[in-house]
Amino acid sequence: MSREALERWMAAVSRGDLADPPAALTVEDCTAAGLAPYGRSYRRSHRGVTFRAYFTPDRRHHAMVLAGRELLLWVDGRSVPVPTGIGGEPQGAALGRWLEHRFSMGGMGDPVRALAMWAWTGAAGRVAARDGDRCGRSYPAPPTGVTPAEYGEIGWEFTDEGCAYNFLDTAGKGVVRVAFAPSLRRQALTIRAPDWIGAQLWVDGEAVPVPCERDWGPLCDEHVAWLDDRFVHAEVGGLWSHPLHDPVRMDLLGNIRGLLIWDAAERVRQLHLPAPAEAWTSPILLRRGDSWCIYPDGEAYRADRPGRTLPIPR
C-alpha cells in the first residue's frame, strides 16, 4: 500500500502538488516505485524533479528530499525546514552530506529535532547579521529538548560534556553556543554575531532579556554557566561609565562586569551590578547554604572574600 501511496505522491509532486509523502515507507516501497540505489540513498528523476530517499540503518526513520525549482525535505512524512546559510541560501550540499554520512550511518536520536536546530541556527544568524538596530530584533524561538547527541549529529563541537559550539557562517566569525544544566534537561543558548561585542541568550527556548547597546549590540558574555538545574548566569559588560573602568583594556565589553542570573523555573531575571567602589572584573557566583556569594574576581574567591551576599529565591 505504501508503494502505491508513494507513486501517487511523486506523480502529484511532478504536477506541482506539494503534499506530504507517506509517513511509513520501506526500502522495498522505494525500489518498487522506481527509486534506484544511489550511494546510501535511493533516487529517481522525473519531469525535472529529483526524489532522493534515505534510511537510518535500523529503518526506523526515513528522509525524502525533493530537488526541483526549490529544495524540500521531509522526515518520516513530516515537512522539515531545509537548513540555510547566514545569507538565506539553502545548504543543499551540506544537507546531502549529512544525510549520506550521518543520517544513513546511524547513532541518530530524533532527526527532526536535530534538523530543526540546524535550521534555527541559520535563521537566527540571518536575523543577527542584519544592519540597523541591534537591540530591537525579533528572533525565531529555538527548538527545545535537543540532546547532546543530536547536537553532535549536526556537527557541534563539545568542549566538555555539557558545552558545545558551532559557527554561524563558513568564515567562522559568528558563534552559537549551548550550555547544559547538570541534569542535561535544561539548556542555555547564546549567539554572537561577527560585529557584536556580546551575545543574545535563550534558556529552554525562551529569550532572556540582556542589556543591549544600539551600536554595539547585546552586552552579555557568550559563555554562560549553570549553578544547578534552576539557575544559569553570565557576565554582562558595557559598564563604561563605572569609575573603575579602564579604557586601555582591549576587551570591548569592558574590564568591569555585572552578573545576570536567570531563574529557569520561575522565568525571572536578576541583574547585579558593582557599586562605584567595587571592581568586579570576573565575578564568580557560588552557592553557600541558602545564600549566593558573588566574588569580584578569582583572587577574592581564593581568599574567600565575597563582595556581595544575596538570599537565594525560593
Side-chain angles (χ1 to χ4, degrees), residues 110-314:
D110 184 337
V112 173
R113 212 160 44 204
L115 285 163
M117 176 52 68
W118 187 359
W120 176 83
T121 301
R126 191 158 57 254
V127 175
R130 288 204 307 253
D131 292 331
D133 183 0
R134 293 175 169 87
C135 299
R137 300 178 182 177
S138 178
Y139 291 84
T144 58
V146 184
T147 67
E150 289 158 1
Y151 278 103
E153 287 294 338
I154 53 175
W156 289 51
E157 295 288 338
F158 278 81
T159 54
D160 58 40
E161 181 186 19
C163 296
Y165 71 94
N166 206 345
F167 297 109
L168 289 177
D169 51 36
T170 55
K173 294 179 180 178
V175 179
V176 56
R177 299 181 184 274
V178 62
F180 283 90
S183 68
L184 304 181
R185 290 194 296 268
R186 293 187 183 277
Q187 55 191 273
L189 280 162
T190 61
I191 275 187
R192 179 179 58 78
D195 59 345
W196 292 357
I197 63 174
Q200 294 284 5
L201 171 63
W202 291 263
V203 175
D204 295 337
E206 181 175 1
V208 175
V210 302
C212 193
E213 207 279 334
R214 180 183 178 90
D215 294 326
W216 291 99
L219 303 175
C220 179
D221 193 280
E222 64 185 295
H223 299 278
V224 304
W226 290 85
L227 275 176
D228 48 35
D229 277 0
R230 179 178 173 183
F231 297 104
V232 62
H233 61 95
E235 293 182 17
V236 293
L239 305 179
W240 303 298
S241 61
H242 191 279
L244 300 179
H245 167 64
D246 184 356
V248 177
R249 297 291 182 92
M250 295 300 294
D251 190 336
L252 292 177
L253 277 174
N255 67 306
I256 302 297
R257 300 296 180 89
L259 200 61
L260 182 152
I261 305 172
W262 177 256
D263 184 337
E266 298 297 328
R267 300 163 58 202
V268 173
R269 187 195 77 163
Q270 295 188 34
L271 187 62
H272 299 281
L273 303 177
E278 293 178 319
W280 291 8
T281 55
S282 53
I284 298 170
L285 180 66
L286 291 179
R287 178 172 186 159
R288 181 169 291 172
D290 293 330
S291 300
W292 284 329
C293 294
I294 300 178
Y295 295 88
D297 53 29
E299 182 180 352
Y301 166 70
R302 290 186 291 272
D304 195 19
R305 294 195 309 269
R308 194 172 299 179
T309 302
L310 306 165
I312 298 177
R314 294 188 180 276

Side-chain angles (χ1 to χ4, degrees), residues 43-111:
R43 177 175 174 176
R44 176 183 172 183
S45 295
H46 182 63
R47 294 183 179 178
V49 177
T50 298
F51 303 91
R52 296 200 308 272
Y54 298 83
F55 292 85
T56 54
D58 60 7
R59 301 297 191 258
R60 290 180 55 203
H61 301 288
H62 64 86
M64 182 69 73
V65 177
L66 184 154
R69 284 175 293 183
E70 57 183 322
L71 186 67
L72 300 173
L73 172 66
W74 293 265
V75 175
D76 299 335
R78 296 164 54 189
S79 178
V80 177
V82 173
T84 59
I86 201 168
E89 66 284 0
Q91 300 291 289
L95 176 62
R97 291 191 296 270
W98 184 82
L99 290 167
E100 187 84 7
H101 300 292
R102 295 275 193 172
F103 185 87
S104 300
M105 295 292 283
M108 181 62 58
D110 184 337

